[in-house]
């Protein structure tokens, strides 16, 4: 689970998975964080050194996006079950205009991050903001302000990261129906009670999986048939699947719902079960020799595999 509290305040909090507790994030150049906004909570405008996808676990969020060198602010409203990509260097802000707590999970790649395995944020304003980092003299020259107004511009917002807005501020409405591609892809998977996710491996991307609801058993099989992960997984936990490693999940009685983000916009997957798997493609004599079984058993195996589970990522 998230092991670091980055910030908590009246408007909400931000929490992170860190390489200190999850070293595979650094190795795989991935990152993960959780934004929790209370009603009227507002995450100050910022940009980051990563590409990421935000998934709304619960609540409704108004998001503002400004691309580098773009004079236009794009605003979109996202709800529970929605996902939104955010490009590296894009300025974004996040506002909870609803009546319940908003929770968003961010998953992405950190290959260009200053701190591999985590997201680095650069806030425009506030106690940790870029604006306040410049001297009053620079602010005065840049924005053509006198000294008192320069200080007001740079220092009036003394809070950091997340604040709570009063009712006098009306945030802009949705004006952005389309989103840009960012080199990542995401799947939302719902497994019924006691159902299984067919094993598959990716040839070109890491996969980071966050459990949204429910629980189950996860197994990853890697080099030489080893099993680097064989563990129970539950709500609010995540794990990473390296390239070429096969992963399968078995849901428990209440089923399981999870988000899988791949570090490729079009991941190449090798299926190891189901009617599109290698087992169905390989000829019967090859399977007979490889498995050391009878021709009759091969036919049974192919038939059962054809009828198998349809869930895969």
């Amino acid at each position: 689970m998230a092991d670091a509290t980055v910030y908590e305040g009246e408007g909400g909090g931000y929490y992170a998975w860190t390489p200190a507790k999850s070293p595979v994030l650094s190795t795989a150049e991935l990152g993960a964080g959780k934004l929790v906004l209370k009603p009227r909570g507002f995450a100050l405008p910022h940009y980051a050194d990563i590409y990421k996808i935000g998934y709304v676990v619960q609540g409704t969020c108004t998001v503002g996006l400004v691309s580098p060198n773009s004079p236009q602010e794009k605003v979109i409203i996202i709800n529970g079950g929605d996902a939104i990509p955010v490009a590296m260097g894009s300025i974004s802000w996040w506002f909870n205009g609803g009546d319940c707590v908003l929770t968003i999970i961010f998953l992405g790649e950190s290959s260009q991050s200053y701190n591999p395995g985590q997201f680095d944020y650069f806030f425009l304003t506030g106690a940790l903001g870029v604006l306040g980092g410049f001297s009053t003299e620079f602010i005065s020259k840049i924005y053509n302000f006198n000294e008192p107004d320069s200080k007001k511009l740079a220092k009036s917002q003394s809070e950091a990261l997340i604040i709570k807005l009063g009712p006098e501020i009306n945030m802009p409405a949705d004006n952005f129906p389309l989103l840009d591609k960012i080199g990542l892809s995401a799947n939302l998977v719902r497994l019924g009670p006691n159902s299984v996710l067919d094993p598959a491996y990716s040839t070109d991307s890491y996969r980071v999986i966050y459990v949204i609801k429910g629980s189950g058993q996860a197994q990853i099989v890697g080099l030489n048939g080893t099993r680097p992960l064989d563990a129970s997984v539950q709500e609010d936990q995540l794990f990473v699947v390296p390239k070429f490693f096969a992963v399968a999940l078995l849901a428990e009685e209440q089923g399981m719902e999870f988000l899988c983000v791949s570090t490729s916009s079009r991941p190449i997957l090798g299926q190891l079960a189901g009617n599109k798997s290698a087992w169905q493609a390989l000829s019967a004599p090859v399977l007979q020799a490889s498995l050391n079984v009878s021709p009759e058993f091969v036919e049974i195996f192919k038939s059962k595999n054809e009828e198998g589970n349809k869930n895969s990522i």
Side-chain angles (χ1 to χ4, degrees):
M1 293 188 174
D3 57 275
T5 299
V6 179
Y7 179 84
E8 281 187 339
E10 185 181 8
Y14 183 77
Y15 312 88
W17 284 261
T18 68
K21 293 290 185 179
S22 306
V24 69
L25 292 175
S26 179
T27 303
E29 298 180 325
L30 297 170
K34 178 168 68 172
L35 175 65
V36 177
L37 292 180
K38 299 175 184 178
R40 302 294 296 175
F42 176 61
L44 295 171
H46 58 275
Y47 58 93
D49 56 4
I50 42 83
Y51 291 100
K52 64 182 179 182
I53 288 177
Y55 174 81
V56 184
V57 177
Q58 64 176 15
T60 297
C61 186
T62 304
V63 185
L65 297 169
V66 179
S67 299
N69 297 320
S70 172
Q72 181 183 6
E73 178 187 54
K74 302 169 182 177
V75 180
I76 185 171
I77 296 176
I78 52 177
N79 301 291
D82 290 340
I84 180 172
V86 183
M88 181 173 62
S90 291
I91 293 170
S92 68
W93 53 259
W94 308 73
F95 173 67
N96 179 4
D99 298 325
C100 66
V101 172
L102 166 73
T103 303
I104 301 178
I105 296 298
F106 294 105
L107 305 176
E109 63 91 21
S110 62
S111 61
Q112 300 185 61
S113 175
Y114 277 98
N115 295 285
Q118 66 185 59
F119 301 154
D120 296 313
Y121 292 107
F122 299 81
F123 283 82
L124 299 191
T125 67
L128 305 177
V130 173
L131 193 61
F134 288 107
S135 67
T136 302
E137 179 185 4
F138 268 55
I139 293 293
S140 177
K141 294 291 186 182
I142 292 170
Y143 300 105
N144 196 26
F145 270 147
N146 59 32
E147 183 175 344
D149 286 342
S150 296
K151 290 181 179 180
K152 180 184 294 186
L153 176 67
K155 304 296 184 181
S156 290
Q157 180 53 267
S158 59
E159 300 295 330
L161 278 69
I162 299 169
I163 61 175
K164 184 174 182 179
L165 299 183
E168 73 279 2
I169 297 181
N170 296 314
M171 302 302 284
D174 190 338
N175 68 355
F176 184 42
L178 299 175
L179 300 172
D180 298 325
K181 294 183 178 180
I182 59 170
L184 300 172
S185 60
N187 288 314
L188 178 65
V189 180
R190 295 184 176 95
L191 296 179
N194 302 310
S195 61
V196 67
L197 175 79
D198 287 341
Y201 62 91
S202 173
T203 67
D204 63 344
S205 59
Y206 281 90
R207 288 171 288 172
V208 57
I209 296 174
Y210 172 79
V211 182
I212 300 167
K213 296 179 182 177
S215 60
Q217 191 76 14
Q219 292 188 352
I220 297 176
V221 177
L223 294 171
N224 302 317
T226 57
R227 195 185 302 158
L229 180 68
D230 186 356
S232 296
V233 293
Q234 58 185 329
E235 182 177 327
D236 208 27
Q237 290 183 328
L238 66 78
F239 59 96
V240 174
V241 185
K243 297 177 184 178
F244 299 103
F245 283 37
V247 61
L249 290 97
L250 177 61
E252 294 179 343
E253 292 293 336
Q254 71 272 40
M256 186 163 65
E257 181 177 324
F258 60 89
L259 177 70
C260 175
V261 171
S262 300
T263 57
S264 170
S265 58
R266 296 178 180 270
I268 300 173
L269 299 177
Q271 303 292 345
L272 296 178
N275 56 15
K276 294 183 180 180
S277 70
W279 299 120
Q280 296 302 100
L282 292 170
S283 61
V286 171
L287 288 180
Q288 181 183 349
S290 301
L291 299 172
N292 192 25
V293 295
S294 67
E296 293 77 15
F297 188 88
V298 169
E299 291 303 314
I300 294 173
F301 175 53
K302 276 183 167 285
S303 175
K304 288 184 175 296
N305 198 59
E306 178 74 25
E307 300 170 358
N309 192 7
K310 306 302 181 185
N311 296 307
S312 63
I313 54 172

